[in-house]
Amino acid sequence: MNSENILEVKHLTKHFKAAKKQVVHAVDDVTFSIARGKTLGLVGESGCGKSTCARTVIRMYDVTDGQIFLDGTEITRMSQKELKPFRKKMQMIFQDPYASLNARMTVRDIIAEPLLAHRIVKNKAEANDLVYSMLERVGLTKEHAGRYAHEFSGGQRQRVGIARALILKPELVICDEPISALDVSIQAQVINLLKDYQDEQGVSYLFIAHDLSMVRYVSDDVGVMYLGQLVEISEADEIYKNPLHPYTKGLLGSIPIANPKLARLKVKSSIEGDIPSPIQPPSGCRFHTRCPYAKPECAEKTPKLTDAGNGHRVACHLY
Ligand code: SF4
């Protein structure tokens, strides 16, 4: 493990059992790392496994195979009790702050709860000062502390979710589509808040999003997932300037479109067809059923993630 990395994920695999003894291949053999104080954006269409990957990393799900190292310690198969001290270091911000915040608790109690659970404070009174200063840090005020989640706008609720995640001063925050449910005008405010906090505290982020434009401003590195696999990963600037994988090109809207009707529509994502089922993913390269460059070997041989130069890694037989 490289000591500069807060997180290292090696060959992570997460399968779920489905009906009739079928298996959902949600995440297959995914490897990446996040350096301290940096952000990895993880991108892909809905159903590509990015959220499952994030939830497996934070150990909301048990791992099927592979390894997870947090700050140099392997946490892959720790029990929930063994994990407790590591939970302080790794927190999560959810997509839907309304569903993730307890409707019966005041904002004060929601934010104080992790402080009490980890015995950082002895009682609620002791937590108050920390809660008030965190509310101010996320752009709310002390006066908001006595209110309930339903009394807030979507953007304010997400600020409460962020305050709850940051109150323990974690070293890694997993942001699971934290701006997707917000109005466009609010998205930039939340992104700026997360970025400013990173500049101040040196926290690292794993930032999940469904399109590449959302992670452009926040990410140092970007990884692209397709049907449970990481198909491309590189420094962010490089991936936007020089996307290699046909799927990444499609997400960026720069792939040639075979269907003239779709081409005329100039849709942002120019990938045709739906993502196949993760229960029986296509053989070989999982993207071959939608790839305009697919050749016969693509259906037979699985491409490995290979360095195409400058640490830019891609899984495609074209490289
Ligand atoms: Fe397309 Fe083949 Fe590359 Fe897969 S391996 S992305 S099918 S060219």
Side-chain angles (χ1 to χ4, degrees):
M1 160 119 200
N2 181 337
S3 63
E4 284 178 14
N5 293 334
I6 184 68
L7 180 74
E8 285 191 7
V9 171
K10 295 182 179 172
H11 308 290
L12 187 70
T13 297
K14 177 63 194 169
H15 293 168
F16 295 100
K17 285 188 186 137
K20 297 180 189 162
K21 294 190 179 168
Q22 290 178 312
V23 174
V24 179
H25 296 248
V27 178
D28 263 331
D29 197 13
V30 167
T31 296
F32 62 82
S33 58
I34 304 180
R36 290 174 201 279
K38 302 288 182 189
T39 300
L40 171 68
L42 202 55
V43 178
E45 290 163 289
S46 168
C48 73
K50 57 194 188 297
S51 284
T52 303
C53 183
R55 285 162 191 239
T56 311
V57 164
I58 207 167
R59 291 287 322 277
M60 281 168 76
Y61 300 141
D62 284 339
V63 177
T64 304
D65 206 356
Q67 291 176 295
I68 305 163
F69 295 86
L70 179 68
D71 201 10
T73 305
E74 185 171 2
I75 61 160
T76 321
R77 283 174 185 84
M78 280 184 179
S79 66
Q80 290 304 319
K81 197 176 163 200
E82 288 168 327
L83 269 175
K84 199 168 175 195
F86 294 90
R87 294 236 172 268
K88 258 194 288 190
K89 295 186 181 213
M90 182 163 63
Q91 291 287 305
M92 188 143 180
I93 299 169
F94 294 89
Q95 176 180 5
D96 180 355
Y98 197 67
S100 64
L101 302 176
N102 189 328
R104 292 199 211 127
M105 288 167 76
T106 62
V107 159
R108 179 189 291 106
D109 289 346
I110 287 171
I111 301 172
E113 196 179 40
L115 292 171
L116 291 160
H118 287 277
R119 298 180 195 211
I120 289 165
V121 295
K122 287 197 198 84
N123 50 48
K124 284 186 184 179
E126 240 183 65
N128 280 347
D129 285 347
L130 291 172
V131 170
Y132 297 151
S133 83
M134 184 48 80
L135 277 173
E136 276 175 25
R137 182 64 201 79
V138 299
L140 297 170
T141 65
K142 193 174 167 177
E143 283 64 48
H144 289 115
R147 299 196 202 160
Y148 293 85
H150 70 266
E151 297 177 67
F152 291 95
S153 67
Q156 285 174 320
R157 279 199 293 266
Q158 193 53 295
R159 287 175 193 272
V160 174
I162 292 170
R164 182 184 157 90
L166 300 184
I167 193 84
L168 292 173
K169 295 197 176 4
E171 290 176 49
L172 173 68
V173 179
I174 297 192
C175 309
D176 188 8
E177 303 218 34
I179 56 169
S180 307
L182 303 178
D183 289 346
V184 176
S185 57
I186 310 293
Q187 288 181 351
Q189 293 174 16
V190 170
I191 290 283
N192 285 336
L193 166 61
L194 291 170
K195 256 187 105 57
D196 289 349
Y197 187 81
Q198 183 173 50
D199 291 343
E200 269 168 40
Q201 303 289 333
V203 65
S204 310
Y205 296 129
L206 173 59
F207 197 101
I208 311 290
H210 58 260
D211 88 62
L212 276 157
S213 64
M214 273 194 190
V215 297
R216 184 165 197 161
Y217 182 60
V218 277
S219 302
D220 297 285
D221 296 303
V222 171
V224 179
M225 281 188 74
Y226 183 75
L227 210 51
Q229 296 178 322
L230 194 62
V231 295
E232 183 162 8
I233 186 163
S234 133
E235 275 185 9
D237 282 352
E238 164 72 10
I239 224 162
Y240 292 98
K241 273 192 224 136
N242 181 29
L244 297 177
H245 198 282
Y247 179 61
T248 312
K249 290 181 182 179
L251 287 179
L252 286 166
S254 59
I255 204 169
I257 309 172
N259 181 333
K261 275 190 195 156
L262 276 180
R264 273 200 299 277
L265 282 173
K266 286 192 179 163
V267 282
K268 188 161 178 49
S269 169
S270 53
I271 306 154
E272 294 185 47
D274 294 326
I275 193 162
S277 164
I279 289 180
Q280 275 185 320
S283 59
C285 171
R286 292 186 180 178
F287 189 54
H288 83 260
T289 55
R290 302 168 79 192
C291 179
Y293 308 107
K295 39 192 181 171
E297 78 164 308
C298 299
E300 288 157 20
K301 227 170 105 194
T302 306
K304 289 211 163 67
L305 205 58
T306 321
D307 197 333
N310 299 325
H312 188 156
R313 290 181 295 148
V314 61
C316 172
H317 294 310
L318 295 176
Y319 304 97

